[in-house]
Amino acid sequence: MIKINLLPPEIYAAKAQQQIKVLGIAMGAVVAVLLLGYYATQFKRSRDLDKDLAAARIELQKYEALDAEVKSFQQQESQLNSRLSVIGQLLKGTLTYPKFFEDFISLLPADVWINSLATTTDPSYGLAVTVNAQSLTSFAIADWLTNLQQSPMCSNVKMGAITVAEQGDGRSPLYSFTMNFTFRRTDG
């Protein structure tokens, strides 16, 4: 079979050109629809991110308020701790002498009595004690010296010279002496 083409080639060229235009317009429309779809998804994503950002800012304000409150409480806590520390130091210093006398009396034997007692304090609330005392027996002096040396609260126990005075009338002699030691409670 033989085909005869009676149409001039310009018509075919125009028809081909028209098909290319239609194809170009269709491709352009497809690209435009794709770009509009991409823009719409990006626009929606931008709106969602703006909403998330607004919610995050509101939440941040809540946390900033909580943070400010926590910092305020921490500051109050540090102030109260410093006050407590000062009160503790004052109480420790205030109770030094009552505790000292309570412990001192428990170490003192019955046959010893105190003529004078002098103390000086150091910054760690220890007491340097000097005692002028008298006793009816040397055994009471030895007992007191032993009690002081064995006590965990007393250190640097030093015994001064002992003088003996006869009392006459058949009474036992009177022993006078000086004792020095350092008193420090370990429990505060």
Side-chain angles (χ1 to χ4, degrees), residues 6-77:
L6 299 174
L7 293 174
E10 293 88 30
I11 291 179
Y12 285 118
K15 201 175 189 182
Q17 207 173 27
Q18 191 177 7
Q19 285 178 350
I20 289 175
K21 280 183 185 177
V22 169
L23 187 61
I25 290 172
M27 291 287 281
V30 169
V31 168
V33 167
L34 288 175
L35 285 176
L36 282 175
Y38 179 73
Y39 175 75
T41 58
Q42 291 302 320
F43 185 74
K44 183 181 180 316
R45 185 172 176 218
S46 173
R47 292 285 182 166
D48 291 343
L49 288 175
D50 285 342
K51 287 179 186 176
D52 291 346
L53 180 61
R57 284 186 177 151
I58 291 171
E59 192 173 349
L60 176 64
Q61 288 176 348
K62 285 189 226 173
Y63 289 135
E64 285 175 342
L66 286 174
D67 183 50
E69 196 174 341
V70 166
K71 286 181 181 176
S72 170
F73 287 143
Q74 287 174 338
Q75 185 179 14
Q76 288 176 355
E77 179 188 20

Side-chain angles (χ1 to χ4, degrees), residues 144-158:
W144 192 30
L145 183 62
T146 303
N147 291 346
L148 289 174
Q149 289 173 340
Q150 291 177 349
S151 173
M153 296 172 281
C154 298
S155 60
N156 302 328
V157 179
K158 295 178 185 162

Side-chain angles (χ1 to χ4, degrees), residues 118-188:
T119 62
T120 55
T121 59
D122 63 20
S124 67
Y125 299 102
L127 296 175
V129 181
T130 302
V131 178
N132 290 319
Q134 291 181 334
S135 175
L136 295 175
T137 66
S138 60
F139 294 111
I141 297 172
D143 286 343
W144 192 30
L145 183 62
T146 303
N147 291 346
L148 289 174
Q149 289 173 340
Q150 291 177 349
S151 173
M153 296 172 281
C154 298
S155 60
N156 302 328
V157 179
K158 295 178 185 162
M159 180 71 161
I162 300 174
T163 58
V164 180
E166 293 294 328
Q167 293 191 32
D169 297 332
R171 293 188 287 170
S172 62
L174 188 62
Y175 298 88
S176 299
F177 60 96
T178 302
M179 183 91 65
N180 296 314
F181 60 93
T182 302
F183 176 84
R184 181 173 286 110
R185 283 188 74 134
T186 55
D187 64 353

